Amino acid sequence: LKIKNSEYIGPFTDGDSLKQTLKMLRRAFPYCTCKGMHKRKCQNASIGKCLGVCCTQLPNTAMPKERAQYKKNVRIVKNILSGKGKTIIGKLAKEMAALSKKQRYEKAAEARDRLCAIQNIFSHRHVIRRQDDTYAHKGLSYLKNLLKLSRLPQRIEAYDISNIHGKNAVGAMVVFTDGKPDKNEYRKFNIRLPHRPNDTAMIREIIERRLNNDWRMPNVIVIDGGKTQLNATLRVMSYALLVKRKIKVVALAKREEELYLPNGKVVALKKGPPALLHLLQYLRNEAHRFAVSFHRKKRRGNF
């Protein structure tokens, strides 16, 4: 049954993938799903999933900025679902650069977060579609062979940091157990270093603090970055600890999707098995999502 004056996108063959995509989109681009008008803001508006202007009985002149942003959000969601994601990414990147040039850093950070959210969705598209036990097992098998582990890595930890020029800096640790997110094991870190941009020192700090806690040790640690971040992490973790616990530490660079290994080798993941690339992207992107989410809350003064 089609509703008159409505626009339809699709069809989509994978309903679960569509639900996952919409869930991620709504975090970055809030929109309304209310079935009727009401006097007060809906529950979704109170938790940031809606801007609160579309389904309330307000004059059309009320909250003009919010109304303009809401229309923009709906347009972006529609374009992404219609396959125009690359165009949106380009526009957001230009918007972020322009805002930074004008030193409107808060707005630039918002544009950056939205850009990261879209990139996260596109890097997940294969994982969303195929992240079943068999596919995850393949990724773990390739990782085991690459790192010369004696068995499949049961626990993998991934780390990322989020800040704006060193301010409101936070770190995040996500844990995958048997290739799947284990959210009960996730941890957040308020960075204690002086407020200046130094990503390497921040990574070093959260690794030190992680090791000082009596948490279960991982088989593999994935750091966001390249050779510099990898070496900083290796300096924090003593050689004795790495050997005794058989912990492998790697760094994943975003630009070319290259994996830096402790022996100096660099692996071009795009040229390797897709299951390995998607597993590591999933880890990296989940750590980034968790760090950015915490950073936003800290900026708003909720922590």
Side-chain angles (χ1 to χ4, degrees):
L1 176 64
K2 290 193 173 184
I3 301 173
K4 190 177 180 181
N5 298 325
S6 295
E7 185 175 348
Y8 292 84
I9 303 171
F12 296 92
T13 58
D14 189 338
D16 289 337
S17 295
L18 178 60
K19 288 177 184 177
Q20 290 265 24
T21 301
L22 287 171
K23 186 177 179 181
M24 288 189 283
L25 278 170
R26 196 172 186 185
R27 292 193 195 110
F29 309 99
Y31 57 86
C32 179
T33 55
C34 293
K35 294 181 179 179
M37 300 293 290
H38 41 81
K39 293 182 179 179
R40 297 182 180 180
K41 286 185 178 181
C42 60
Q43 185 177 0
N44 285 321
S46 66
I47 60 176
K49 290 185 177 182
C50 177
L51 296 181
V53 297
C54 46
C55 54
T56 49
Q57 295 174 355
L58 294 172
N60 290 333
T61 54
M63 304 174 71
K65 290 183 179 179
E66 288 81 358
R67 288 183 184 278
Q69 184 62 54
Y70 182 79
K71 289 180 180 178
K72 184 177 180 181
N73 287 359
V74 172
R75 187 168 61 250
I76 289 173
V77 171
K78 184 182 75 171
N79 286 337
I80 290 173
L81 294 177
S82 300
K84 300 176 182 177
K86 289 184 179 179
T87 302
I88 299 298
I89 287 174
K91 287 182 178 179
L92 278 175
K94 289 180 180 178
E95 180 184 338
M96 181 178 67
L99 289 167
S100 296
K101 192 173 182 180
K102 295 177 183 177
Q103 296 185 343
R104 297 176 63 187
Y105 296 121
E106 287 291 327
K107 290 294 182 182
E110 291 176 10
R112 179 204 62 195
D113 291 347
R114 292 181 173 191
L115 176 61
C116 289
I118 295 177
Q119 291 173 328
N120 185 33
I121 289 166
F122 278 91
S123 65
H124 275 71
R125 65 187 183 274
H126 299 297
V127 179
I128 290 171
R129 195 178 301 128
R130 302 181 60 187
Q131 188 62 30
D132 54 19
D133 292 340
T134 302
Y135 199 61
H137 189 273
K138 283 182 182 180
L140 293 174
S141 296
Y142 287 124
L143 189 61
K144 168 184 173 290
N145 295 335
L146 178 65
L147 301 181
K148 296 183 169 70
L149 299 171
S150 59
R151 60 180 182 177
L152 291 180
Q154 186 179 26
R155 180 183 172 102
I156 306 174
E157 294 178 0
Y159 294 84
D160 195 12
I161 56 173
S162 183
N163 66 98
I164 300 177
H165 301 294
K167 295 182 179 179
N168 296 315
V170 299
M173 176 186 94
V174 301
V175 177
F176 277 33
T177 301
D178 296 327
K180 297 179 181 178
D182 191 351
K183 295 191 176 183
N184 290 331
E185 297 291 311
Y186 286 17
R187 296 293 183 270
K188 301 173 183 175
F189 302 87
N190 273 305
I191 301 295
R192 298 168 181 169
L193 288 169
H195 294 170
R196 59 174 181 267
N198 190 336
D199 289 4
T200 303
M202 292 177 187
I203 284 287
R204 191 163 57 239
E205 178 189 326
I206 63 175
I207 294 295
E208 285 177 348
R209 288 166 59 187
R210 184 263 176 265
L211 294 174
N212 288 332
N213 283 280
D214 189 24
W215 300 332
R216 182 184 168 194
M217 284 293 178
N219 306 111
V220 178
I221 287 178
V222 179
I223 302 296
D224 179 52
K227 185 177 179 180
T228 302
Q229 288 75 17
L230 175 61
N231 289 338
T233 305
L234 290 173
R235 282 194 292 271
V236 171
M237 303 184 71
S238 69
Y239 179 75
L241 175 62
L242 292 173
V243 172
K244 182 179 179 181
R245 301 280 186 155
K246 298 181 180 179
I247 301 172
K248 297 291 184 179
V249 183
V250 297
L252 180 58
K254 287 188 184 77
R255 186 180 296 275
E256 298 298 332
E257 301 294 15
E258 293 176 330
L259 191 68
Y260 288 76
L261 307 184
N263 61 6
K265 185 178 179 182
V266 181
V267 179
L269 293 172
K270 289 182 180 179
K271 297 180 180 178
L276 175 61
L277 172 62
H278 297 154
L279 172 65
L280 291 170
Q281 284 179 330
Y282 195 8
L283 277 155
R284 191 262 316 283
N285 293 337
E286 180 66 359
H288 182 71
R289 179 200 63 77
F290 193 49
V292 168
S293 175
F294 184 33
H295 175 64
R296 286 175 182 164
K297 291 178 181 177
K298 189 172 182 180
R299 283 206 326 259
R300 291 197 294 262
N302 294 343
F303 282 86

